[in-house]
Amino acid sequence: MPRYSPTVVDHFTNPRNAGELEDPQVRAFIGNPVCGDQIMLTAKVEGGAITEIRFRAHGCAASLATASVLTEAAQGLPLAELETWDDAHVETLLGGLPPDQRHVATLGRQVAHRLVTNHREGVDDDAPLICA
């Protein structure tokens, strides 16, 4: 079993911002077909900044923790700043990841960037999220 950072353990056992917003202004979904991890973000944006954000996720402990950490870190951020996040930044937010779990940081970066792109383009992902 991978050894997770205290941040990953905390967010997996006590997720923040779980659920889905009613009437979000933007929705973003990313799934990894290899491992089955999935993250969907719903958000409200005002003045170019995220005013409210929630997640639904399915997969390993690291992917659930990533979704929780992302929503906490993105709250109040300008979309332009969210768009600058890279895999290393997401991994830093998580307090590190075991080598075999680093793909989850990529998933987190991808869904954050997709949220920005979807907002800019005025599209929503109709996510086939499997989680309850």
Side-chain angles (χ1 to χ4, degrees):
M1 178 172 172
R3 183 169 168 85
Y4 292 116
S5 72
T7 301
V8 171
V9 173
D10 179 36
H11 279 267
F12 174 69
T13 57
N14 303 294
R16 281 73 142 178
N17 305 309
E20 190 172 343
L21 290 175
E22 282 190 37
D23 300 319
Q25 291 172 310
V26 62
R27 180 186 330 265
F29 171 80
I30 291 289
N32 182 326
V34 175
C35 68
D37 292 342
Q38 300 175 356
I39 298 174
M40 182 178 67
L41 300 176
T42 54
K44 294 188 178 181
V45 179
E46 288 181 27
I50 296 171
T51 57
E52 197 172 358
I53 188 166
R54 299 284 179 270
F55 80 89
R56 290 184 65 199
H58 176 78
C60 67
S63 67
L64 298 172
T66 297
S68 176
V69 165
L70 283 179
T71 61
E72 205 170 56
Q75 183 73 38
L77 277 186
L79 291 173
E81 188 172 333
L82 190 64
E83 196 169 31
T84 67
W85 289 5
D86 58 14
D87 294 4
H89 179 74
V90 174
E91 190 171 340
T92 298
L93 291 173
L94 291 162
L97 287 168
D100 64 338
Q101 293 291 303
R102 289 202 175 118
H103 66 279
V104 177
T106 300
L107 189 73
R109 185 239 333 136
Q110 289 172 332
V111 76
H113 286 194
R114 188 165 183 104
L115 188 78
V116 174
T117 300
N118 285 0
H119 184 266
R120 181 184 304 122
E121 296 177 0
V123 298
D124 254 350
D125 289 334
D126 187 19
L129 198 67
I130 332 174
C131 70

